[in-house]
Amino acid sequence: MKTLLKNMEAAFVVALGLAGSTSYLLGADERASAVEASARIATESKMAVVEVTGKRMSELEKQQSLREERGMTAMGEQGRTRG
């Protein structure tokens, strides 16, 4: 039984290595084309523009977010004073 588990572990490690290296090798082309595309967007005469779209927070959502953020900050400060 132990040899079976060791063999399964070895097979898993080999499969993981193959999957990782294949992913890395196949992804190299995609990374190169992404860099190439971004290089075409920005030139000396043309500035790259990033457009961010999203929904604006309502006043109530802003207040809730601020309370949560302040609560997390206060918890972090308490942890530093204790330790």
Side-chain angles (χ1 to χ4, degrees):
M1 186 69 175
K2 287 185 180 181
T3 57
L4 178 64
L5 291 177
K6 286 183 181 179
N7 290 336
M8 292 298 286
E9 182 180 358
F12 177 74
V13 169
V14 169
L16 188 64
L18 286 172
S21 60
T22 302
S23 172
Y24 180 77
L25 291 174
L26 292 178
D29 288 338
E30 293 171 13
R31 286 191 298 273
S33 64
V35 169
E36 191 176 291
S38 66
R40 286 190 304 240
I41 293 171
T43 63
E44 289 183 23
S45 62
K46 181 181 173 189
M47 181 183 292
V49 177
V50 177
E51 190 173 318
V52 179
T53 58
K55 180 185 156 206
R56 290 188 179 262
M57 295 172 78
S58 68
E59 193 62 35
L60 179 62
E61 290 171 328
K62 287 179 189 178
Q63 294 300 322
Q64 288 173 340
S65 177
L66 282 171
R67 274 190 230 111
E68 289 173 4
E69 186 176 323
R70 289 177 183 152
M72 286 182 206
T73 304
M75 286 174 32
E77 290 174 0
Q78 288 174 357
R80 279 186 255 161
T81 57
R82 290 181 188 168

Coordinates of all heavy atoms in Angstrom, one line a residue:
M1 N 0.8 -1.2 0.0 CA 0.0 0.0 0.0 C 0.9 1.3 0.0 O 0.5 2.2 -0.7 CB -0.9 0.0 1.2 CG -1.9 1.1 1.3 SD -3.1 0.8 0.0 CE -4.2 2.1 0.3
K2 N 2.0 1.2 0.8 CA 2.8 2.4 0.8 C 3.5 2.7 -0.5 O 3.7 3.8 -0.9 CB 3.9 2.3 1.9 CG 3.3 2.4 3.3 CD 4.4 2.3 4.3 CE 3.9 2.4 5.7 NZ 4.9 2.4 6.8
T3 N 3.9 1.6 -1.2 CA 4.5 1.8 -2.5 C 3.5 2.4 -3.5 O 3.9 3.2 -4.3 CB 5.1 0.5 -3.1 OG1 4.0 -0.4 -3.2 CG2 6.2 0.0 -2.2
L4 N 2.3 2.0 -3.4 CA 1.3 2.6 -4.3 C 1.1 4.1 -4.0 O 1.1 4.9 -5.0 CB -0.1 1.9 -4.1 CG -1.3 2.4 -4.9 CD1 -1.0 2.2 -6.4 CD2 -2.5 1.8 -4.5
L5 N 1.1 4.5 -2.8 CA 1.0 5.9 -2.4 C 2.2 6.7 -2.9 O 2.1 7.8 -3.4 CB 0.8 6.1 -0.9 CG -0.6 5.6 -0.4 CD1 -0.6 5.8 1.1 CD2 -1.7 6.4 -1.0
K6 N 3.4 6.1 -2.8 CA 4.6 6.8 -3.2 C 4.6 6.9 -4.7 O 5.0 8.0 -5.3 CB 5.8 6.0 -2.8 CG 6.1 6.1 -1.3 CD 7.4 5.4 -1.0 CE 7.7 5.5 0.5 NZ 8.9 4.8 0.9
N7 N 4.1 5.9 -5.4 CA 4.0 6.0 -6.9 C 3.0 7.1 -7.3 O 3.2 7.8 -8.3 CB 3.7 4.6 -7.5 CG 4.8 3.7 -7.4 OD1 6.0 4.1 -7.2 ND2 4.5 2.4 -7.4
M8 N 1.9 7.1 -6.6 CA 0.9 8.2 -6.9 C 1.4 9.6 -6.7 O 1.2 10.5 -7.5 CB -0.4 7.9 -6.1 CG -1.1 6.7 -6.4 SD -1.7 6.7 -8.1 CE -3.1 7.8 -8.0
E9 N 2.2 9.7 -5.6 CA 2.8 11.0 -5.3 C 3.8 11.4 -6.4 O 3.8 12.5 -6.9 CB 3.5 11.0 -4.0 CG 4.2 12.3 -3.6 CD 4.9 12.2 -2.3 OE1 4.9 11.2 -1.6 OE2 5.4 13.2 -1.9
A10 N 4.6 10.4 -6.9 CA 5.6 10.7 -7.9 C 4.8 11.0 -9.2 O 5.3 11.9 -10.0 CB 6.5 9.5 -8.1
A11 N 3.8 10.3 -9.5 CA 3.0 10.6 -10.8 C 2.4 12.0 -10.7 O 2.4 12.7 -11.7 CB 1.9 9.5 -11.0
F12 N 1.9 12.4 -9.5 CA 1.4 13.7 -9.4 C 2.4 14.8 -9.6 O 2.2 15.8 -10.2 CB 0.7 13.8 -8.0 CG 0.2 15.2 -7.7 CD1 -1.0 15.6 -8.3 CD2 0.9 16.1 -6.8 CE1 -1.5 16.9 -8.0 CE2 0.4 17.3 -6.6 CZ -0.8 17.7 -7.2
V13 N 3.6 14.6 -9.0 CA 4.7 15.6 -9.1 C 5.1 15.7 -10.6 O 5.3 16.8 -11.1 CB 5.9 15.2 -8.2 CG1 7.1 16.0 -8.5 CG2 5.5 15.3 -6.8
V14 N 5.2 14.6 -11.3 CA 5.6 14.6 -12.7 C 4.5 15.3 -13.5 O 4.8 16.2 -14.4 CB 5.8 13.2 -13.2 CG1 5.9 13.2 -14.7 CG2 7.1 12.6 -12.6
A15 N 3.2 15.0 -13.3 CA 2.1 15.6 -14.0 C 2.1 17.1 -13.7 O 1.9 18.0 -14.6 CB 0.8 15.0 -13.6
L16 N 2.4 17.5 -12.5 CA 2.4 18.9 -12.1 C 3.5 19.6 -12.8 O 3.4 20.8 -13.3 CB 2.6 19.1 -10.6 CG 2.4 20.5 -10.0 CD1 1.0 21.0 -10.2 CD2 2.7 20.4 -8.5
G17 N 4.7 19.0 -12.9 CA 5.8 19.6 -13.6 C 5.5 19.8 -15.1 O 5.9 20.8 -15.7
L18 N 4.9 18.8 -15.7 CA 4.6 18.8 -17.1 C 3.6 19.9 -17.4 O 3.7 20.7 -18.3 CB 4.1 17.5 -17.6 CG 5.1 16.4 -17.8 CD1 4.5 15.1 -18.1 CD2 6.1 16.8 -18.9
A19 N 2.6 20.0 -16.5 CA 1.5 21.0 -16.7 C 2.1 22.4 -16.6 O 1.8 23.3 -17.3 CB 0.4 20.8 -15.7
G20 N 3.0 22.6 -15.6 CA 3.5 23.9 -15.3 C 4.5 24.3 -16.5 O 4.4 25.5 -16.9
S21 N 5.3 23.4 -16.9 CA 6.2 23.8 -18.0 C 5.5 24.0 -19.3 O 5.8 24.9 -20.1 CB 7.3 22.7 -18.1 OG 6.7 21.5 -18.5
T22 N 4.5 23.2 -19.6 CA 3.7 23.4 -20.8 C 3.0 24.8 -20.8 O 3.0 25.5 -21.7 CB 2.7 22.3 -21.0 OG1 3.4 21.0 -21.0 CG2 1.9 22.4 -22.2
S23 N 2.4 25.1 -19.6 CA 1.7 26.3 -19.5 C 2.7 27.5 -19.7 O 2.3 28.5 -20.3 CB 1.1 26.4 -18.1 OG 0.6 27.7 -17.8
Y24 N 3.9 27.4 -19.1 CA 4.8 28.5 -19.2 C 5.3 28.6 -20.7 O 5.3 29.7 -21.2 CB 6.1 28.2 -18.4 CG 7.1 29.2 -18.4 CD1 7.0 30.4 -17.8 CD2 8.3 29.0 -19.2 CE1 7.9 31.4 -17.9 CE2 9.2 30.0 -19.3 CZ 9.1 31.2 -18.6 OH 10.0 32.1 -18.7
L25 N 5.5 27.5 -21.4 CA 6.0 27.6 -22.7 C 4.9 28.1 -23.7 O 5.2 28.9 -24.6 CB 6.5 26.2 -23.2 CG 7.8 25.7 -22.5 CD1 8.1 24.3 -23.0 CD2 9.0 26.7 -22.9
L26 N 3.7 27.6 -23.5 CA 2.6 28.1 -24.4 C 2.2 29.5 -24.1 O 1.8 30.2 -25.0 CB 1.4 27.2 -24.2 CG 1.6 25.8 -24.8 CD1 0.4 24.9 -24.5 CD2 2.0 25.8 -26.2
G27 N 2.4 30.0 -22.9 CA 2.0 31.3 -22.5 C 3.0 32.4 -22.9 O 2.8 33.6 -22.9
A28 N 4.2 31.9 -23.3 CA 5.3 32.9 -23.7 C 4.8 33.7 -25.0 O 5.1 34.9 -25.0 CB 6.6 32.1 -24.0
D29 N 4.2 33.1 -25.9 CA 3.7 33.8 -27.1 C 2.7 34.8 -26.7 O 2.7 35.9 -27.3 CB 3.1 32.8 -28.1 CG 4.2 32.0 -28.8 OD1 5.4 32.4 -28.8 OD2 3.8 30.9 -29.3
E30 N 1.8 34.5 -25.8 CA 0.7 35.4 -25.4 C 1.3 36.6 -24.7 O 0.9 37.7 -24.9 CB -0.3 34.7 -24.5 CG -1.1 33.6 -25.2 CD -1.9 32.8 -24.3 OE1 -2.1 33.2 -23.1 OE2 -2.4 31.7 -24.7
R31 N 2.3 36.4 -23.8 CA 2.9 37.5 -23.1 C 3.6 38.4 -24.1 O 3.6 39.6 -24.0 CB 3.9 37.0 -22.1 CG 3.2 36.4 -20.9 CD 4.2 36.1 -19.7 NE 5.2 35.2 -20.1 CZ 5.1 33.8 -19.9 NH1 4.0 33.4 -19.4 NH2 6.0 33.0 -20.3
A32 N 4.3 37.8 -25.1 CA 5.0 38.6 -26.1 C 4.1 39.5 -26.9 O 4.3 40.6 -27.2 CB 5.9 37.7 -27.0
S33 N 3.0 38.9 -27.3 CA 2.0 39.6 -28.1 C 1.3 40.7 -27.3 O 1.0 41.8 -27.8 CB 1.0 38.7 -28.7 OG 0.2 38.1 -27.7
A34 N 1.1 40.5 -26.0 CA 0.5 41.5 -25.1 C 1.5 42.7 -25.0 O 1.1 43.8 -25.0 CB 0.2 40.9 -23.7
V35 N 2.8 42.4 -24.8 CA 3.8 43.5 -24.7 C 3.8 44.2 -26.0 O 3.9 45.5 -26.1 CB 5.1 42.9 -24.3 CG1 6.2 44.0 -24.4 CG2 5.1 42.4 -22.9
E36 N 3.8 43.5 -27.1 CA 3.9 44.1 -28.4 C 2.6 45.0 -28.6 O 2.8 46.1 -29.2 CB 3.9 43.0 -29.5 CG 4.2 43.5 -30.9 CD 4.3 42.3 -31.8 OE1 5.2 41.5 -31.7 OE2 3.4 42.1 -32.6
A37 N 1.5 44.6 -28.2 CA 0.3 45.4 -28.4 C 0.3 46.6 -27.6 O -0.1 47.7 -28.0 CB -1.0 44.5 -28.1
S38 N 0.8 46.5 -26.4 CA 0.8 47.7 -25.5 C 1.9 48.7 -26.0 O 1.8 49.9 -25.8 CB 1.1 47.3 -24.1 OG 2.4 46.8 -23.9
A39 N 2.9 48.2 -26.6 CA 3.9 49.1 -27.2 C 3.4 49.9 -28.4 O 3.8 51.0 -28.6 CB 5.1 48.2 -27.6
R40 N 2.4 49.3 -29.1 CA 1.8 50.0 -30.2 C 0.8 51.1 -29.7 O 0.6 52.0 -30.4 CB 1.1 49.0 -31.1 CG 2.0 48.1 -31.9 CD 1.1 47.4 -32.9 NE 0.1 46.6 -32.3 CZ -0.1 45.3 -32.4 NH1 0.8 44.6 -33.1 NH2 -1.0 44.7 -31.8
I41 N 0.3 50.9 -28.6 CA -0.7 51.9 -28.1 C -0.1 53.2 -27.7 O -0.5 54.2 -28.1 CB -1.5 51.3 -26.9 CG1 -2.3 50.1 -27.3 CG2 -2.3 52.4 -26.2 CD1 -2.9 49.3 -26.2
A42 N 1.0 53.2 -27.0 CA 1.7 54.4 -26.5 C 2.9 54.7 -27.4 O 3.7 53.8 -27.6 CB 2.1 54.3 -25.1
T43 N 2.9 55.9 -28.0 CA 4.0 56.3 -28.7 C 4.5 57.7 -28.2 O 3.9 58.2 -27.3 CB 3.7 56.4 -30.2 OG1 2.7 57.5 -30.4 CG2 3.2 55.1 -30.8
E44 N 5.5 58.2 -28.8 CA 6.0 59.5 -28.3 C 4.9 60.6 -28.5 O 4.8 61.6 -27.8 CB 7.3 59.9 -29.0 CG 8.4 59.1 -28.5 CD 9.7 59.5 -29.1 OE1 9.9 60.6 -29.6 OE2 10.6 58.6 -29.2
S45 N 4.2 60.5 -29.6 CA 3.2 61.5 -29.9 C 1.8 61.2 -29.4 O 0.9 62.1 -29.4 CB 3.1 61.7 -31.4 OG 2.7 60.5 -32.0
K46 N 1.6 60.0 -29.0 CA 0.2 59.6 -28.5 C 0.4 58.9 -27.2 O 1.1 58.0 -27.0 CB -0.3 58.6 -29.5 CG -1.7 58.1 -29.2 CD -2.2 57.1 -30.2 CE -3.5 56.5 -29.8 NZ -3.9 55.4 -30.7
M47 N -0.4 59.5 -26.2 CA -0.3 58.9 -24.9 C -1.3 57.8 -24.7 O -2.4 57.8 -25.3 CB -0.7 60.0 -23.9 CG -0.7 59.6 -22.4 SD -1.2 60.8 -21.3 CE 0.1 62.0 -21.4
A48 N -1.0 56.7 -24.0 CA -1.9 55.6 -23.7 C -2.9 56.1 -22.8 O -2.7 56.8 -21.8 CB -1.1 54.5 -23.1
V49 N -4.2 55.7 -23.0 CA -5.3 56.1 -22.2 C -5.9 54.8 -21.6 O -6.2 53.9 -22.3 CB -6.3 56.9 -23.0 CG1 -7.5 57.2 -22.1 CG2 -5.7 58.1 -23.6
V50 N -6.1 54.8 -20.3 CA -6.7 53.7 -19.6 C -8.1 54.2 -19.2 O -8.3 55.2 -18.5 CB -5.9 53.3 -18.4 CG1 -6.7 52.1 -17.7 CG2 -4.5 52.9 -18.8
E51 N -9.1 53.4 -19.7 CA -10.5 53.8 -19.4 C -11.0 52.8 -18.3 O -11.0 51.6 -18.5 CB -11.3 53.7 -20.6 CG -12.7 54.3 -20.5 CD -13.4 54.3 -21.8 OE1 -12.8 54.7 -22.8 OE2 -14.6 53.9 -21.8
V52 N -11.4 53.3 -17.2 CA -12.0 52.5 -16.1 C -13.5 52.8 -16.0 O -13.9 53.9 -15.9 CB -11.3 52.9 -14.8 CG1 -11.9 52.0 -13.6 CG2 -9.8 52.7 -14.9
T53 N -14.2 51.7 -16.1 CA -15.7 51.9 -16.0 C -16.2 51.2 -14.7 O -15.6 50.2 -14.3 CB -16.4 51.2 -17.2 OG1 -16.1 49.9 -17.3 CG2 -16.0 51.9 -18.5
G54 N -17.1 51.7 -14.1 CA -17.7 51.2 -12.9 C -18.8 52.0 -12.4 O -19.1 53.1 -12.9
K55 N -19.6 51.4 -11.5 CA -20.7 52.0 -10.9 C -20.3 52.9 -9.7 O -19.5 52.5 -8.9 CB -21.7 51.0 -10.4 CG -22.9 51.5 -9.8 CD -23.8 50.3 -9.3 CE -24.7 50.9 -8.2 NZ -25.0 49.9 -7.2
R56 N -20.8 54.1 -9.7 CA -20.4 55.0 -8.5 C -21.2 54.5 -7.3 O -22.3 54.0 -7.4 CB -20.8 56.4 -8.8 CG -20.0 57.1 -9.9 CD -20.3 58.6 -10.0 NE -19.5 59.2 -11.0 CZ -18.4 59.9 -10.7 NH1 -18.0 60.0 -9.4 NH2 -17.7 60.5 -11.6
M57 N -20.5 54.7 -6.2 CA -21.1 54.3 -4.9 C -22.1 55.4 -4.5 O -21.9 56.6 -4.6 CB -20.0 54.2 -3.8 CG -19.0 53.1 -4.1 SD -17.7 53.1 -2.9 CE -18.4 52.4 -1.5
S58 N -23.2 54.9 -3.9 CA -24.2 55.9 -3.3 C -23.6 56.4 -2.0 O -22.6 55.9 -1.5 CB -25.5 55.2 -3.1 OG -25.4 54.2 -2.0
E59 N -24.2 57.5 -1.5 CA -23.8 58.1 -0.3 C -23.8 57.0 0.9 O -22.9 57.0 1.7 CB -24.6 59.3 0.1 CG -24.1 60.1 1.2 CD -22.7 60.8 0.8 OE1 -22.5 61.1 -0.4 OE2 -21.9 60.9 1.7
L60 N -24.8 56.2 0.9 CA -24.9 55.2 2.0 C -23.8 54.2 1.8 O -23.2 53.8 2.8 CB -26.3 54.5 1.9 CG -26.5 53.4 2.9 CD1 -26.5 53.9 4.3 CD2 -27.9 52.7 2.6
E61 N -23.5 53.7 0.6 CA -22.4 52.8 0.4 C -21.1 53.4 0.8 O -20.2 52.7 1.3 CB -22.4 52.4 -1.1 CG -23.6 51.5 -1.5 CD -23.6 51.2 -3.0 OE1 -23.2 52.1 -3.8 OE2 -24.1 50.1 -3.4
K62 N -20.9 54.7 0.5 CA -19.6 55.3 0.9 C -19.4 55.3 2.4 O -18.4 55.0 2.9 CB -19.6 56.8 0.4 CG -19.4 56.9 -1.1 CD -19.4 58.4 -1.5 CE -19.5 58.6 -3.0 NZ -19.6 60.0 -3.3
Q63 N -20.5 55.7 3.1 CA -20.5 55.7 4.6 C -20.2 54.3 5.1 O -19.4 54.1 6.1 CB -21.8 56.2 5.2 CG -22.0 57.7 4.8 CD -20.9 58.6 5.3 OE1 -20.4 58.4 6.4 NE2 -20.6 59.6 4.6
Q64 N -20.8 53.3 4.6 CA -20.6 51.9 5.1 C -19.1 51.5 4.8 O -18.5 50.9 5.6 CB -21.5 50.9 4.4 CG -23.0 51.0 4.8 CD -23.9 50.2 4.0 OE1 -23.6 49.8 2.9 NE2 -25.1 49.9 4.6
S65 N -18.6 51.8 3.6 CA -17.3 51.5 3.3 C -16.3 52.2 4.2 O -15.3 51.6 4.7 CB -17.0 51.9 1.8 OG -15.6 51.7 1.5
L66 N -16.5 53.5 4.5 CA -15.6 54.2 5.4 C -15.6 53.6 6.8 O -14.6 53.4 7.5 CB -16.1 55.6 5.5 CG -15.6 56.5 4.4 CD1 -16.3 57.9 4.5 CD2 -14.1 56.7 4.3
R67 N -16.8 53.2 7.3 CA -16.9 52.5 8.6 C -16.1 51.2 8.6 O -15.4 51.0 9.6 CB -18.4 52.3 9.0 CG -19.0 53.4 9.6 CD -20.4 53.1 10.2 NE -21.3 54.1 9.7 CZ -22.3 53.9 8.9 NH1 -22.6 52.7 8.4 NH2 -23.1 54.9 8.5
E68 N -16.3 50.4 7.6 CA -15.6 49.1 7.5 C -14.1 49.4 7.5 O -13.3 48.7 8.2 CB -16.0 48.4 6.3 CG -17.4 47.8 6.4 CD -17.9 47.2 5.1 OE1 -17.1 47.1 4.1 OE2 -19.0 46.8 5.1
E69 N -13.6 50.4 6.7 CA -12.2 50.6 6.6 C -11.6 51.1 7.9 O -10.6 50.7 8.3 CB -12.0 51.7 5.5 CG -10.6 52.0 5.2 CD -10.4 53.0 4.0 OE1 -11.2 52.9 3.1 OE2 -9.5 53.8 4.1
R70 N -12.4 52.0 8.6 CA -11.9 52.5 9.9 C -11.9 51.4 10.9 O -11.0 51.4 11.7 CB -12.8 53.7 10.3 CG -12.5 54.9 9.5 CD -13.5 56.0 9.9 NE -13.3 57.2 9.0 CZ -14.2 58.1 8.8 NH1 -15.4 58.0 9.3 NH2 -13.9 59.1 7.9
G71 N -12.8 50.5 10.8 CA -12.8 49.4 11.8 C -11.6 48.5 11.5 O -11.0 48.0 12.5
M72 N -11.3 48.2 10.3 CA -10.1 47.4 10.0 C -8.8 48.1 10.4 O -7.9 47.4 11.0 CB -10.1 47.1 8.5 CG -11.1 46.1 8.0 SD -10.8 45.8 6.3 CE -12.5 45.3 5.8
T73 N -8.8 49.4 10.3 CA -7.6 50.1 10.7 C -7.4 50.1 12.2 O -6.3 49.9 12.7 CB -7.7 51.6 10.2 OG1 -7.9 51.6 8.8 CG2 -6.4 52.4 10.5
A74 N -8.5 50.2 12.9 CA -8.5 50.2 14.3 C -8.1 48.8 14.8 O -7.3 48.7 15.8 CB -9.9 50.6 14.9
M75 N -8.6 47.8 14.2 CA -8.2 46.4 14.6 C -6.7 46.2 14.4 O -6.1 45.6 15.2 CB -9.0 45.4 13.8 CG -10.5 45.3 14.3 SD -11.6 44.3 13.3 CE -10.6 43.0 12.7
G76 N -6.2 46.7 13.3 CA -4.8 46.6 13.0 C -3.9 47.3 14.0 O -2.9 46.8 14.4
E77 N -4.3 48.5 14.4 CA -3.6 49.2 15.5 C -3.6 48.5 16.8 O -2.6 48.5 17.5 CB -4.1 50.6 15.6 CG -3.8 51.5 14.4 CD -4.5 52.8 14.4 OE1 -5.2 53.1 15.4 OE2 -4.3 53.6 13.5
Q78 N -4.7 47.9 17.2 CA -4.9 47.2 18.4 C -3.9 46.0 18.4 O -3.3 45.7 19.4 CB -6.3 46.7 18.7 CG -7.2 47.8 19.0 CD -8.7 47.3 19.1 OE1 -9.0 46.1 18.8 NE2 -9.6 48.2 19.4
G79 N -3.8 45.3 17.3 CA -2.9 44.1 17.2 C -1.5 44.5 17.4 O -0.7 43.8 17.9
R80 N -1.1 45.7 16.9 CA 0.3 46.2 17.0 C 0.6 46.5 18.5 O 1.7 46.3 18.9 CB 0.6 47.3 16.1 CG 0.8 46.9 14.7 CD 1.2 48.1 13.8 NE 0.0 48.4 13.0 CZ -0.2 49.5 12.4 NH1 0.6 50.5 12.5 NH2 -1.3 49.7 11.7
T81 N -0.3 47.1 19.2 CA -0.1 47.5 20.6 C 0.0 46.3 21.5 O 0.7 46.3 22.5 CB -1.1 48.5 21.1 OG1 -2.4 47.9 21.0 CG2 -1.1 49.8 20.3
R82 N -0.7 45.3 21.2 CA -0.7 44.1 22.0 C 0.6 43.3 21.8 O 1.1 42.7 22.8 CB -1.9 43.1 21.6 CG -3.2 43.7 22.0 CD -4.3 42.7 21.7 NE -5.6 43.3 21.9 CZ -6.7 42.8 21.4 NH1 -6.7 41.6 20.8 NH2 -7.9 43.3 21.7
G83 N 1.1 43.2 20.6 CA 2.2 42.3 20.3 C 3.5 43.0 20.6 O 4.4 43.1 21.2

